[in-house]
Amino acid sequence: MGTLIGSTFRNALCADFNGTDEYMSRTGTLSFRSDTAGAWSMWVRIDNTFAADGVRFIMGLGTSGTNRLIFGVRRIATTGSSTYFTWVTTRGGVTRGYSATTTALAANTWYHVVFQSSGTAYSCSVNGTSQTVTQWTGTAGNTGDWFGDHTGTSPWFTVGTHTQSGSVGANFFEGRMDEFLYLPGRVFTAGEVTEIYNAGVPKNPHKLSFASDVDVWWRFGDSRDSGTTVYDEIGSNDLAMVNMDASNYVAV
């Protein structure tokens, strides 16, 4: 997993996004670009829920064509009046949208969320609870299309917004993010989700039972992150900060 930065683990800071123009991006090589299965673990806090239909995106991969996989929070009439974690996949001109509809989100509350694909189906958990996956648009089917399934040139990965046809989209995220982990090639087991959730306290990934499997670790302000770069503490997937600086790192 690489070398732990510093002698002790601490989680004092997170990244705060204004919902207007702030995001992070990576246009270089992504270690997970060709994965057809994998899992993200992240901590997310939204500033506001939606009073009407709307969406704000947490992260996503887009290409110069129409292919994309994006994850965020959404309210849509199809799933009622609550705000839920959500994701959209566009592949080969076909768009499908899904939401995790067991846990409705509240403002100014930290949530641990796992978004993952086995290669054949998506699944999601919030605070250790497995979610019902509700499809709200597109041809019926939980396809599990992951990063490697979304082909296209000039892949562009963003955190805090989404990309489409090679340009940054709207729907910037408003809220805070912390401690992102990526597990390549497989989903988390139920026991691993419980372990990483850790009763609401982010745990040092180097101390997890599956530590050797983790491929990406973004800390969003702790360790060696600067006012221009969020470093991948395990791999080489560093993120460039756009319209952001060190003032965006705030207390958890």
Side-chain angles (χ1 to χ4, degrees):
M1 273 189 72
T3 302
L4 177 63
I5 307 299
S7 59
T8 59
F9 179 79
R10 68 183 182 115
N11 183 44
L13 300 174
C14 62
D16 189 37
F17 296 77
N18 65 7
T20 303
D21 63 355
E22 295 176 344
Y23 67 100
M24 302 167 183
S25 71
R26 180 162 182 84
T27 56
T29 301
L30 293 162
S31 63
F32 50 86
R33 174 67 181 96
S34 61
D35 290 356
T36 55
W40 284 100
S41 163
M42 63 191 79
W43 292 82
V44 176
R45 194 186 92 165
I46 58 176
D47 287 350
N48 302 286
T49 56
F50 292 105
D53 287 2
V55 62
R56 293 187 182 275
F57 289 112
I58 296 169
M59 59 184 289
L61 175 78
T63 73
S64 58
T66 59
N67 290 331
R68 59 181 179 156
L69 175 63
I70 47 182
F71 181 77
V73 293
R74 178 187 293 269
R75 170 179 166 173
I76 188 168
T78 308
T79 56
S81 60
S82 296
T83 301
Y84 297 109
F85 287 111
T86 193
W87 57 99
V88 177
T89 169
T90 300
R91 179 186 179 193
V94 177
T95 296
R96 293 181 172 91
Y98 309 84
S99 289
T101 54
T102 302
T103 302
L105 306 181
N108 301 312
T109 301
W110 280 105
Y111 293 93
H112 175 248
V113 57
V114 167
F115 168 53
Q116 58 189 4
S117 172
S118 64
T120 56
Y122 298 109
S123 57
C124 184
S125 69
V126 178
N127 289 349
T129 299
S130 179
Q131 302 290 294
T132 297
V133 175
T134 301
Q135 185 173 358
W136 44 262
T137 193
T139 305
N142 184 345
T143 62
D145 291 338
W146 206 238
F147 296 104
D149 297 311
H150 294 79
T151 58
T153 59
S154 304
W156 190 7
F157 183 83
T158 54
V159 173
T161 186
H162 75 291
T163 65
Q164 186 173 14
S165 299
S167 300
V168 174
N171 313 115
F172 290 91
F173 183 77
E174 184 177 12
R176 299 180 180 184
M177 305 184 198
D178 200 19
E179 301 295 333
F180 277 36
L181 295 178
Y182 179 70
L183 190 69
R186 68 173 180 89
V187 298
F188 291 107
T189 67
E192 288 169 343
V193 171
T194 300
E195 182 183 358
I196 199 169
Y197 175 43
N198 195 30
V201 180
K203 187 175 181 179
N204 183 350
H206 291 260
K207 302 297 184 181
L208 296 169
S209 63
F210 53 92
S212 61
D213 291 345
V214 178
D215 183 55
V216 178
W217 181 19
W218 293 317
R219 305 219 56 205
F220 297 114
D222 290 304
S223 189
R224 57 184 176 142
D225 291 339
S226 72
T228 60
T229 306
V230 172
Y231 289 98
D232 182 352
E233 299 294 341
I234 294 173
S236 58
N237 306 283
D238 300 339
L239 300 172
M241 300 172 70
V242 182
N243 301 320
M244 304 178 76
D245 55 35
S247 67
N248 290 94
Y249 301 135
V250 299
V252 173

